[in-house]
């Protein structure tokens, strides 16, 4: 087994666009569930809207990359409004049912051949990187060291991803420490008590749903920056992976989703490399390399169950968190 190659590939995941995309999606989910108590099971749908909105705006309408990114965020905001208006006045589980169903409807809509010229159907979308790469100020060449060595395009994608993540973290950090954030925490704990104080609970929930959805869409845009948009990525398992990252780091925290996403992708990449290598080395003779590669998804599912049972507050979470509403 080539342990050096395995660790090199694993360490490179720390700065991968996928890790940043997951971190943004988990941060948006923290706005929904961690701070607002909203059960959103349609994370994949919000990420898909960001990615497809970005790609379609460039390929079909010829928008520049920055305007296309804004279109993806706006699409997620509209999607959140459509979901929230009929469900946020009901119990939280209705939102969970609506979001997971709506995300699946979106995926099938992007898959249908009826709009193949726009969405690419099962082939997805590619070739939308021109304007983004033209805006790259980094001189041509290869930079970095060790597993973090990339060309100018690779660094441009990662820099934009890091800037987007940093801005989202700053916004969430400021909001959660504001009177608005304290009201949202109060709604999470006891919305009837907040309603008795004269607060419009529905309005606050809608604001949280829209804001979190926009951050998730930003994660979808970052995820789509280096390669292509494929409908097979935005499936239900993506939502569960983001939930795992959130619960791992801490649902009611600002930096927990980022930490959870880093750990999640570090472990995922390590298992994706080491399990097939163990098969080739004869350590796991009872399965093929393909089966070993998919075994990591089973381990992720088991880890999610254990997190919910034994450490629901996450790594950075506080079991004794108190909520004050002003």
């Amino acid at each position: 087994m080539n342990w050096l190659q395995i660790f090199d590939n694993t360490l490179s995941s720390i700065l991968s666009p996928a890790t940043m995309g997951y971190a943004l999606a988990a941060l948006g989910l923290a706005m929904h569930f961690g701070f607002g108590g909203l059960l959103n099971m349609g994370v994949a749908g919000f990420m898909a809207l960001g990615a497809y909105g970005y790609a379609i705006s460039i390929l079909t309408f010829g928008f520049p990359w920055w305007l296309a990114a804004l279109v993806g965020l706006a699409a997620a905001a509209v999607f959140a409004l459509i979901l929230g208006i009929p469900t946020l006045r009901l119990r939280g589980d209705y939102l969970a049912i609506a979001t997971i169903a709506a995300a699946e409807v979106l995926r099938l809509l992007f898959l249908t051949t009826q709009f193949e010229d726009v969405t690419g159907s099962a082939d997805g979308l590619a070739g939308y990187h021109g304007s983004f790469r033209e805006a790259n100020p980094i001189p041509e060449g290869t930079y970095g060291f060790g597993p973090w060595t990339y060309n100018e395009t690779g660094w441009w994608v990662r820099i934009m991803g890091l800037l987007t993540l940093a801005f989202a973290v700053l916004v969430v950090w400021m909001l959660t420490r504001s009177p608005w954030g304290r009201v949202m925490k109060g709604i999470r704990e006891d919305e009837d008590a907040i309603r008795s104080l004269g607060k419009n609970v529905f309005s606050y929930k809608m604001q949280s749903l829209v804001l979190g959805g926009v951050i998730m869409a930003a994660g979808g845009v970052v995820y789509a920056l280096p390669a292509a948009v494929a409908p097979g990525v935005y499936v239900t398992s993506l939502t569960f992976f983001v939930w795992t990252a959130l619960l791992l780091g801490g649902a009611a925290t600002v930096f927990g989703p980022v930490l959870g996403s880093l750990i999640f992708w570090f472990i995922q990449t390590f298992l994706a490399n080491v399990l097939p290598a163990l098969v080739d080395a004869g350590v796991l003779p009872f399965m093929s390399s393909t089966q070993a590669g998919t075994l990591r998804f089973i381990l992720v599912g088991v880890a999610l169950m254990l997190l919910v049972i034994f450490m629901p507050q996450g790594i950075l979470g506080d079991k004794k968190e108190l909520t004050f509403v002003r």
Side-chain angles (χ1 to χ4, degrees):
M1 294 175 60
N2 189 345
W3 286 103
L4 182 61
Q5 184 64 44
I6 291 173
F7 284 114
D8 189 75
N9 293 339
T10 302
L11 290 172
S12 67
S13 67
I14 295 175
L15 283 180
S16 72
T19 301
M20 300 173 200
Y22 268 62
L24 284 163
L27 188 63
L29 187 57
M31 288 298 300
H32 288 171
F33 177 72
F35 296 106
L38 304 177
L39 287 171
N40 177 9
M41 300 302 293
V43 177
F46 284 99
M47 293 185 71
L49 280 173
Y52 272 95
Y54 175 75
I56 291 173
S57 297
I58 295 174
L59 294 175
T60 303
F61 301 103
F63 289 175
W65 68 273
W66 57 270
L67 183 57
L70 293 178
V71 170
L73 303 187
V78 173
F79 182 60
L81 288 170
I82 295 173
L83 285 177
I85 289 173
T87 60
L88 288 180
R89 297 186 187 276
L90 305 174
R91 295 199 316 266
D93 50 355
Y94 285 96
L95 179 63
I97 296 170
T99 51
I100 196 170
E104 187 64 12
V105 168
L106 280 176
R107 187 183 70 85
L108 295 176
L109 183 64
F110 292 136
L111 270 173
T112 181
T113 57
Q114 186 69 30
F115 310 108
E116 185 175 5
D117 293 340
V118 177
T119 64
S121 187
D123 294 330
L125 296 171
Y128 50 82
H129 309 290
S131 63
F132 176 74
R133 293 176 180 176
E134 288 173 1
N136 186 359
I138 303 174
E140 185 176 351
T142 302
Y143 309 91
F145 62 93
W148 304 290
T149 302
Y150 311 104
N151 61 17
E152 72 283 357
T153 301
W155 276 115
W156 179 230
V157 170
R158 285 161 176 81
I159 288 172
M160 292 304 301
L162 287 172
L163 289 175
T164 304
L165 178 59
F167 179 75
V169 167
L170 178 62
V171 170
V172 173
W173 182 83
M174 294 175 65
L175 284 174
T176 55
R177 280 155 179 77
S178 68
W180 182 89
R182 289 190 285 274
V183 171
M184 286 307 306
K185 292 178 183 178
I187 292 173
R188 178 194 65 196
E189 300 298 333
D190 189 345
E191 67 177 68
D192 290 331
I194 302 303
R195 192 177 287 109
S196 69
L197 297 176
K199 302 293 184 181
N200 189 334
V201 172
F202 174 80
S203 176
Y204 277 93
K205 283 185 174 181
M206 181 63 76
Q207 293 168 36
S208 176
L209 186 63
V210 171
L211 178 61
V214 168
I215 296 175
M216 290 176 187
V221 173
V222 171
Y223 197 97
L225 281 180
V229 176
V233 172
Y234 306 101
V235 293
T236 307
S237 59
L238 173 62
T239 296
F240 295 140
F241 291 160
V242 174
W243 270 96
T244 303
L246 174 69
L247 296 176
L248 178 60
T253 64
V254 177
F255 298 100
V258 179
L259 177 62
S261 299
L262 282 173
I263 296 174
F264 174 83
W265 269 103
F266 186 90
I267 295 175
Q268 274 276 68
T269 307
F270 176 75
L271 292 176
N273 283 270
V274 76
L275 290 176
L278 289 175
V279 172
D280 295 338
V283 179
L284 298 175
F286 51 87
M287 63 176 61
S288 65
S289 297
T290 303
Q291 292 171 331
T294 57
L295 177 62
R296 71 185 190 276
F297 298 117
I298 299 175
L299 297 177
V300 168
V302 173
L304 178 58
M305 291 188 291
L306 294 176
L307 277 173
V308 173
I309 296 171
F310 297 107
M311 199 173 64
Q313 78 280 1
I315 296 174
L316 299 182
D318 185 359
K319 294 180 181 179
K320 300 180 180 179
E321 181 186 18
L322 297 177
T323 301
F324 298 94
V325 181
R326 187 174 71 185

